[in-house]
Amino acid sequence: MNQRTISIIKNNSMVYRYLRENSYEYLYLFRDDHYIETIEKESKKLYQEPLERKIEKLQKNINLINSFINIMDK
């Protein structure tokens, strides 16, 4: 593993978390330095998706509250 790869792991919390949970991925990192790009994609997919779901859920709740307010105003 080169210094660039180590730096990416230390500075990116999602990658760091992903590697802590999937430690077998270190084997691939030691074999191929470019594998870190794959890990970055996987970590983004895994950890950013729930954030998008939370935002969608919040939007639905706001729309529901908006509907109740509109009903109450009439």
Side-chain angles (χ1 to χ4, degrees), residues 3-73:
Q3 290 296 323
R4 178 185 162 272
T5 305
I6 294 170
S7 175
I8 291 172
I9 294 169
K10 287 183 177 180
N11 294 326
N12 190 334
S13 61
M14 287 188 297
V15 171
Y16 183 74
R17 183 176 170 194
Y18 180 82
L19 285 171
R20 284 187 59 109
E21 292 175 2
N22 302 301
S23 58
Y24 61 89
E25 297 283 355
Y26 278 110
L27 293 173
Y28 302 115
L29 276 175
F30 282 113
R31 293 178 186 158
D32 180 19
D33 289 329
H34 298 288
Y35 191 72
I36 190 70
E37 296 162 1
T38 305
I39 291 176
E40 284 178 314
K41 289 176 187 176
E42 289 297 315
S43 65
K44 284 180 182 179
K45 192 184 330 178
L46 183 65
Y47 297 120
Q48 285 184 348
E49 187 175 355
L51 178 63
E52 292 171 355
R53 288 183 193 161
K54 287 179 183 179
I55 291 173
E56 288 175 4
K57 185 177 177 181
L58 180 64
Q59 286 176 339
K60 287 180 183 179
N61 287 337
I62 289 173
N63 287 337
L64 180 68
I65 292 171
N66 234 356
S67 298
F68 281 126
I69 290 174
N70 287 336
I71 291 173
M72 298 297 277
D73 283 344

